[in-house]
Amino acid sequence: MSTSADASVAASTAYEPVIGLEVHVQLLTASKIFCSCSTRFGAAPNTNVCPVCLGMPGALPVLNRKAVEFAMLAALALNCRINETSIFARKNYFYPDLPKGYQISQYDKPLAEFGYIEVQTLNTGRTGDHRVKKIGITRLHLEEDAGKSLHEGFPGSDEKTAIDLNRTGVPLIEIVSEPDIATPDEAYEYLTRLKEIILYTGVSDCNMEEGSLRCDANVSVRPRGQKELGTKAEIKNVNSFRFIREALVYEIARQVEVIESGGKIVQETRLYNAHEGKTYSMRSKEQAHDYRYFPEPDLLPLVVDEKWKAEIAKTLPELPEARRARLVKEYGITEYDAQVLTISKALADQFEAAAKAAKSPKRVANLVQSELMGRLKAKGTEIESSPVSMKGVAASADLVESGAISGKMLKDLYDLCFERGKDFPEVYEEEGRPQQSSDTSALEKIIDEILAANPKQLEQYRAGKKTVIGFFVGQVMKASKGQANPQMVNELLVKKLERD
Ligand SMILES: [Zn+2]
C-alpha cells in the first residue's frame, strides 16, 4: 500500500468520498425508557435491573414520558420535523447483552425526520474561505440501549467474560445523517456542532468516555462525477471525534487503493485501531431486512399533538450559533472570541452574567479579548480552567472603569493571577488593593520636572501646537511607571500650561 498521503491525494482528485454518520446519544433521564430502574452510571453490576429490562417473559414496557420530551427537544434543536405518530418496533437479533433477543427501537415511523445541521466548511475554491454547508439529518428515533459485555471479567473474578445489564433499557436517541458529508474534516465539524447543540439542550451530557455519545461512520468512495454510490463500509466503536477523522482518512485511502488495484469493496463492519491508525474487518454488514423488524405489540403508537410539541418548543434554549451571532452584535467581540465563549452554555452564561453586572459590559468583553485569551493561549490552557473567572474579569473591568487602577496595573495583576493560578479579586487583595496614584502634589512635582526637561516641546505648545500635550502626558505616565491616573495627569497639565 502506498502512503496515506499519496492515497489521499488520489482520493481528492479522482475519487469522491461519501460519508454518513450515525450518532447514539444517551438521554439524561433518571430512569430507563420502559421501566423505573435507575440509569445511574457506575453502579455495581446488575443492580439497576428489573423483570422489564431483563426481558422476563410477560413483563410489560411502559414508555418514559421524559425520554420522549428530551428526544423531542433534541429533534427541534436539530431542525427536525416531529411526526405526529411514531411506532416502536422490535429489532430482532441475538447477542449475549440483549436478553430479550430483540431491541425496542423505531423503524419506518421514527419520532422525527428531515432535520439539518449547519457546518463551516473550507471552500476549496478559495484558500481559507469558509462557507456554511447544511448536512441533512435523515431521522432521529428513540430506542433502548443494550447491556455491556465485560471481556476483562468483573473485578476480583477470573471469569473470562461477564455481562452487566445495568445499561439495558437506558434511553437513547439515534441521529442518522444524510450521506452529505464529503470529507473527514466535515465529519469532525458535524460531530462537534451536533455535540454542542445537544449539550445546549441539556438532554445529554455527551460524555464519550462513559458511552453517552457513540458514533458509527458509513463511508464509500466513487469516481468523481459518478452518480451511483460505491459500496460502503461501516466503522464502529470509535471513541473520539479525532479518531473518527483519522479512521475516515485511513478508510478512504484504503478503499481507493483497493479499487485502483482492481479489487472490490465488500459491505462490512470495520473496527478502528487507534494505536495503529488502521481499520480492520470485523464482520460482514447485516442489511436492515436481516433484523425482521415488526411493530412492538406491547406499546401503543406514540402520538405527539401540536399542544405537546408547542410546550416543548417553548423550553428550547438559544442555540450556540444564534448565541454567537448575538454576542458579536451585543458586546462587539470578535467571531473567534464568541466561538470560544460559547463552547459551553455554562461559560456563555457566566460571561453574560459578568458583563451585565459590570459597569461596562463592553469593557468586560474587551478584557476577555485583550487580557485573557492571549494569556490562556500562551499557557495552553482552556478557558474552562482559566485562573481568572468571568466574575474576576468583571471585577477588574470595574476597577479600570472607576479609575482605581490603570491599564498597566491591570496587566501586571493579570500576570500575577496566571503566575499564582488565582482569580483576580484574590490577587488584588493579596497585593494590598493597589490604587493608581492620584496624589496631586506628587504628580505636580513630576509634571514640573517633565516641563523643565523639555523646553522645546513647551515652546511648541505655547506657540499654539496644543497636540504636544499628548507627548507630556506620555512622559508623565512613564515617569510615574504607569501608576498615575491619565485623566488626572491631563487635567493638571492643562492647568499648568495655561496658567504659566
Ligand atoms: Zn428495569
Side-chain angles (χ1 to χ4, degrees), residues 32 35 37 49-50 53:
K32 295 186 180 179
C35 62
C37 292
V49 290
C50 75
C53 54

Side-chain angles (χ1 to χ4, degrees), residues 240-312:
S240 84
F241 294 170
R242 192 165 61 85
F243 287 161
I244 286 174
R245 179 162 57 189
E246 289 174 13
L248 284 168
V249 168
Y250 174 85
E251 182 59 19
I252 289 163
R254 185 192 71 86
Q255 291 187 12
V256 169
E257 177 83 10
V258 168
I259 295 168
E260 283 286 286
S261 56
K264 258 191 140 164
I265 303 296
V266 288
Q267 180 154 334
E268 63 183 352
T269 299
R270 298 178 71 87
L271 288 181
Y272 180 63
N273 182 321
H275 290 293
E276 297 173 32
K278 292 179 178 176
T279 63
Y280 287 98
S281 178
M282 181 172 89
R283 57 167 190 253
S284 67
K285 167 75 182 152
E286 55 291 302
Q287 308 272 347
H289 63 247
D290 292 334
Y291 291 116
R292 301 289 190 271
Y293 281 96
F294 66 87
E296 165 61 58
D298 292 335
L299 286 166
L300 288 168
L302 171 58
V303 177
V304 177
D305 60 17
E306 286 303 320
K307 189 168 158 272
W308 194 12
K309 213 188 304 179
E311 262 169 40
I312 299 303

Side-chain angles (χ1 to χ4, degrees), residues 128-203:
D129 185 16
H130 286 76
R131 67 189 172 98
V132 172
K133 177 177 174 181
K134 267 187 192 178
I135 310 273
I137 291 172
T138 316
R139 55 189 279 139
L140 181 152
H141 69 251
L142 269 164
E143 63 184 27
E144 59 179 344
D145 205 350
K148 200 174 170 192
S149 300
L150 299 156
H151 299 294
E152 302 82 17
F154 286 113
S157 148
D158 46 13
E159 292 290 325
K160 286 280 191 292
T161 290
I163 308 273
D164 179 6
L165 295 173
N166 282 347
R167 215 170 67 183
T168 313
V170 161
L172 303 177
I173 46 175
E174 181 175 334
I175 301 157
V176 182
S177 87
E178 289 287 309
D180 288 345
I181 300 164
T183 65
D185 281 338
E186 264 178 44
Y188 183 87
E189 189 64 18
Y190 169 89
L191 291 168
T192 306
R193 296 282 86 84
L194 173 65
K195 181 179 167 188
E196 191 179 71
I197 292 168
I198 296 290
L199 281 174
Y200 264 63
T201 64
V203 305

